[in-house]
């Protein structure tokens, strides 16, 4: 990944008009002053283009028409010795150019528009801010580098504790299973205060009796509905038998209590 970034060249800024000046030797440690450059007599004019390859930026001075390279200044740190601002203006800078043989020289560059000078300065600031961020990420995780990979590594697995999940589910709702009825149907629970299906219904009250009367079979037995009488051959036969019955016959056999 680092090799690919070194081969890739990005264009950071392009300004169609830039002026180049000869810079006199600096007599002291104080900064450069553009007023000493004979601003009315520029040594060269053309196009400025800032490119980046990896962490290094390049200030290229090119011909406006043909694009031929006039001079190039590699910048490895900003602010630094490769690019310095003058003390008396915001539109002029001193850059350190370098040829193929490694020879170096300092020249002055200036912009007629203050906005172009601002864009030139911001393009360099943004590039080296990005370089510092990538360096910090690489120090935090050397194996990952600037790219954060959240995928699973080869052979990496995860473990789920299903037993704890079942315990949590049981703790939230300990509901008893509903009984299943005939055919696998689930029976609904009885309403509040109601009786369950397994309880016997209350017994019906039996025939009333007087206090003190002994409990006999006639009192305990519930009168059953009489069966339909069979057709008799003689309509007066049963009546004659009833009239001839003994007057001392007790009424307890009829199943009713006499009041």
């Amino acid at each position: 990944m680092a090799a690919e970034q070194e081969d890739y060249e990005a264009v950071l800024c392009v300004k169609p008009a830039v002026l180049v000046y000869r810079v006199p030797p600096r007599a002291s440690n104080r900064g450069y002053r553009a007023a000493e450059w004979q601003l009315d007599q520029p040594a060269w004019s053309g196009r400025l283009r800032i490119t980046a390859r990896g962490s290094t930026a390049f200030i290229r001075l090119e011909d406006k028409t043909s694009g031929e390279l006039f001079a190039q200044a590699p910048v490895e740190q900003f602010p630094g010795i490769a690019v310095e601002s003058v003390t008396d203006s915001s539109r002029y800078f001193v850059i350190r150019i370098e040829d193929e043989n490694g020879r170096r020289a300092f020249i002055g560059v200036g912009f007629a528009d203050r906005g172009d000078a601002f864009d030139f300065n911001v393009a360099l600031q943004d590039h080296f801010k990005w370089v510092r961020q990538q360096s910090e990420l690489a120090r935090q995780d050397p194996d990952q580098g600037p790219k954060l990979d959240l995928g699973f590594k080869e052979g990496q697995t995860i473990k789920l504790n299903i037993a704890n999940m079942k315990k949590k589910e049981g703790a939230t709702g300990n509901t008893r299973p509903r009984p299943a009825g005939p055919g696998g149907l689930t029976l609904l629970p009885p309403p509040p205060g109601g009786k369950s299906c397994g309880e016997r219904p209350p017994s019906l009250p039996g025939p009333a009796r007087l206090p003190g009367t002994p409990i006999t079979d006639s009192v305990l037995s519930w009168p059953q509905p009489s069966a339909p009488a069979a057709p008799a051959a003689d309509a007066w036969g049963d009546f004659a038998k009833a009239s001839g019955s003994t007057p001392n016959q007790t009424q307890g056999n009829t199943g009713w209590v006499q009041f």
Side-chain angles (χ1 to χ4, degrees):
M1 186 67 181
E4 293 180 0
Q5 290 182 352
E6 292 292 336
D7 296 337
Y8 177 75
E9 184 178 66
V11 178
L12 306 180
C13 179
V14 176
K15 292 302 173 182
V18 65
L19 301 174
V20 175
Y21 302 91
R22 291 184 178 90
V23 177
R26 186 164 50 179
S28 61
N29 291 332
R30 66 183 179 88
Y32 293 98
R33 297 181 73 252
E36 302 173 353
W37 296 353
Q38 298 180 357
L39 298 179
D40 57 342
Q41 299 178 4
W44 183 86
S45 64
R47 178 181 65 190
L48 181 144
R49 187 159 61 101
I50 303 176
T51 62
R53 187 181 300 115
S55 61
T56 305
F58 298 89
I59 301 174
R60 299 171 59 90
L61 302 175
E62 303 171 344
D63 185 80
K64 292 182 180 180
T65 305
S66 63
E68 183 182 358
L69 180 65
F70 172 74
Q72 177 176 271
V75 183
E76 297 179 353
Q77 184 179 358
F78 182 81
I81 193 174
V83 180
E84 296 183 47
S85 301
V86 298
T87 58
D88 57 347
S89 177
S90 61
R91 296 187 291 115
Y92 297 93
F93 303 86
V94 176
I95 65 175
R96 185 183 64 183
I97 60 175
E98 183 177 342
D99 63 5
E100 296 178 355
N101 298 324
R103 293 179 299 178
R104 298 175 178 176
F106 290 92
I107 62 174
V109 295
F111 300 93
D113 188 357
R114 196 177 302 274
D116 291 343
F118 176 80
D119 294 342
F120 170 80
N121 195 17
V122 169
L124 292 174
Q125 288 179 356
D126 290 347
H127 170 69
F128 286 97
K129 180 181 179 180
W130 173 81
V131 171
R132 288 191 296 270
Q133 290 176 349
Q134 298 303 310
S135 300
E136 291 176 0
L137 291 176
R139 286 195 300 268
Q140 293 175 3
D141 193 354
D143 296 334
Q144 297 292 339
K147 184 178 180 181
L148 182 61
D149 185 10
L150 299 179
F152 284 100
K153 305 298 184 298
E154 184 177 357
Q156 185 178 4
T157 59
I158 59 175
K159 182 179 179 180
L160 298 178
N161 195 343
I162 303 179
N164 290 340
M165 297 174 61
K166 291 184 177 180
K167 290 181 180 179
K168 292 181 179 179
E169 292 179 357
T172 55
N174 294 325
T175 56
R176 298 176 59 185
R178 297 177 179 176
L185 298 179
T186 303
L187 301 179
L188 295 176
K195 300 295 184 178
S196 60
C197 297
E199 297 184 2
R200 299 177 59 185
S203 58
L204 297 176
R209 65 185 182 86
L210 293 177
T213 306
I215 299 176
T216 60
D217 293 339
S218 61
V219 175
L220 294 177
S221 61
W222 183 262
Q224 301 295 328
S226 58
D234 188 0
W236 300 97
D238 291 339
F239 180 77
K241 292 179 181 179
S243 58
S245 60
T246 310
N248 295 331
Q249 184 179 2
T250 61
Q251 296 180 357
N253 295 330
T254 60
W256 296 93
V257 179
Q258 183 178 4
F259 290 91

